[in-house]
Structure formats: structure tokens, C-alpha cells
Amino acid sequence: MHAVLAALALAFCGAAGAAQADPARDDEATGYRFQIVTGDDSEVTRRIAEDLYKRLVPTFAAFRTELGQRRRMLYVAIGPAALRDAVARRCDCVVISAFTSSQVWRVLTAKAPASRAGLLTAVYAEPAPADQLRLAALLYGRPVRVGAVLGRDTAFLAPALASDVDIQPFVPGDDINHALNRMTRAEVLLALPDGDVYNPENVRNILLSTYRRKQGVIGFSADMVKVGALATTYSEIEDINTQVAEIAAAFVVTGELPPPQFPRYFRTLVNEGVARSLDVRVTDGARRFAHLPVRLPAPAPAIARVPARVAPVPAPAAPKP
């Protein structure tokens, strides 16, 4: 679980802190079939890269570029700094981003040349809103009235929410209490990762305010559940890596990348103490709400056949105050 939390911290880092990449053409990548790009050399990042490498090897061991896809190289970018580096490279390549939140992904890819359209995709770090809404209904045992506060960076998620979700807009400088007060009918607050709304100054206030109103909070990370949110769905490192490997395998076959997507595989974490305080009777069905990848036998080692590599980029600079 500690590794998952560290991976989430990496994923939600703001784009402003990402490392600057050299936009020079990446000629040295010629001949490689896939490359894992990392933004740091931490223990968690190494664990992600090593697990992902093992999952990609079986697909690319049999991949012949001269008979395969037009794009010679597939980059997997772990975290925001690595994504910025991969997007900046001028190369005959495609990019799959992982462990980066949806809003940071949008910021970092917004200025990509039009020629890169269809060559960039992602498995977002945060839970799928649809899964979170389903979890809320399971926790309460019935359809539940849900509210959400969306800032500028998460307004694009509105279409992914159910039509009956009470959406309150929020811009920097707004009073978060005013936004919460407008959701008088909501029984649950669906939290979506937005630095303007859920920052260190606001999170404690939000959790206290909703607790007093007997409103459960469906958080966007296990950390939020630990500090007072009611529950969340979350994905382990292996869950995200499985989905990335599936996307890569499909690319080898079809030559196409799907649109960016939320995690397909997840588990559920419930704060039992908060549930009791809110008079929410948590069932085993809610606790076991999950979609887990099928566990396949480990493939035979084929590392020597695949000239892939893990390439770190400089660690992100600290954001300016």
C-alpha cells in the first residue's frame, strides 16, 4: 500500500514542476522497440518499471517492426516528468502515459503538435468516476444523491458524471464552504483530484464540513480514506501496469492507440470508523467491490531477445512558491 500511495503522489504532481526535456530528435532510440521512461530513480518508480518491463517483454519479443506498425518505438512514460520528456521528443513513436492524473495529462499534452494526434494515450492515475458512483450506491444500498465540486482543471470531467450529480463550479479565490453549502441535498461528496479544490488548506475543512452534515466523501485516493473520507476505489501498481501492457499488445496488433482511459482494474478501501459514524451499514458486497485482472502464469524469460531499456529523465524541480 505504501508503494501505491507514493505512486499516487507522483501522479498528482503539478505540471509546473515537471522537468524540461531536450526537444532534439531522439535518434539514439532507433532500433529499440519499446522504452520505459521514468522521471526519477525512487524505489517505487523502479518497482513500477521492473514490473512493467516483465509484462511488455512477451509482446515485443515477437514484434518485427519491418512487418508491424508504422511507428517504430513505443514509449511508456511513468509520471508527469517522464510524460513531458516523451511528448517533447521528435521521433517516430507513440506514447502511453501511466501514473499521471487526467488533468496533468491534459496540461502536458495540450501543446503537442497536431501531427501527434492519435499517437498519445494514457491510463490515468485516479479512479474512474463511474466506478466511484457505483461504490457510493453499494455503500448506501440504494441510489444516492451525489454532489461534486469541479475546478477549472476538472471541469472537463462533467460529462463523465451521471446527469443527476449536483455539480458546483469552483475557481481560485472562492470560499470552499460556499460551494459545499450549495449542495444541501447531496448525501455524498464525490471528490475528484483538483489542486484548486483539494489542497492542504482545504482538505481538512472539507472533511470536517461534510462530516458535520452527515455527508460521506468518496475520495480519489487511499490517503483520503485514511484521513477521513468514507471510501474509494483504488488501483495497485500491478493493476495499472496490466492495463498498460494490454494497450501495448493491442497496438502491436492494430497499429492504433485507444483514447486516454481511467483504470480498468481496481479494489475498494472503506474507512469503517467513518462509516459507523455516518450510520452507513457497509456490506461485504461493497467491501469486495472490485475488478481484478486475470492472473496468468508467468511467461518464460525472454529478456535477452528484447532490446528495450529504462531511461530516466531529470527529477522534477521544486515548484516556485
Side-chain angles (χ1 to χ4, degrees), residues 234-245:
Y234 71 97
S235 300
E236 296 280 6
I237 287 171
E238 292 77 11
D239 298 332
I240 298 290
N241 283 353
T242 296
Q243 189 169 346
V244 170

Side-chain angles (χ1 to χ4, degrees), residues 156-176:
F156 74 96
L157 291 173
L161 303 179
S163 59
D164 57 349
V165 173
D166 181 1
I167 297 175
Q168 296 296 328
F170 184 90
V171 297
D174 281 355
D175 187 332
I176 187 62

Side-chain angles (χ1 to χ4, degrees), residues 60 69 75 87 171 178 183 200 215 217 219 242 299 307:
F60 286 83
Q69 313 314 326
Y75 288 113
V87 170
V171 297
H178 292 167
M183 295 190 300
Q215 293 172 322
V217 176
T242 296

Side-chain angles (χ1 to χ4, degrees), residues 192-270:
L192 301 167
D194 188 314
D196 289 337
V197 180
Y198 298 96
N199 54 51
E201 292 75 28
N202 282 349
V203 167
R204 179 176 172 81
N205 184 27
I206 291 171
L207 292 173
L208 287 175
S209 296
T210 52
Y211 184 80
R212 293 191 188 106
R213 294 182 174 91
K214 289 286 187 177
Q215 293 172 322
V217 176
I218 304 298
F220 53 79
S221 72
D223 263 345
M224 285 194 72
V225 176
K226 288 185 174 182
V227 299
L230 173 59
T232 188
T233 61
Y234 71 97
S235 300
E236 296 280 6
I237 287 171
E238 292 77 11
D239 298 332
I240 298 290
N241 283 353
T242 296
Q243 189 169 346
V244 170
E246 290 172 350
I247 292 173
F251 166 74
V252 169
V253 174
T254 66
E256 298 180 354
L257 291 177
Q261 53 199 248
F262 290 98
R264 181 180 305 134
Y265 305 114
F266 61 88
R267 301 113 196 280
T268 289
L269 180 66
V270 178

Side-chain angles (χ1 to χ4, degrees), residues 271-289:
N271 188 320
E272 301 285 349
V274 170
R276 286 191 296 270
S277 298
L278 295 176
D279 298 321
V280 175
R281 297 178 182 272
V282 183
T283 64
D284 287 340
R287 294 186 183 95
R288 293 196 299 263
F289 179 50

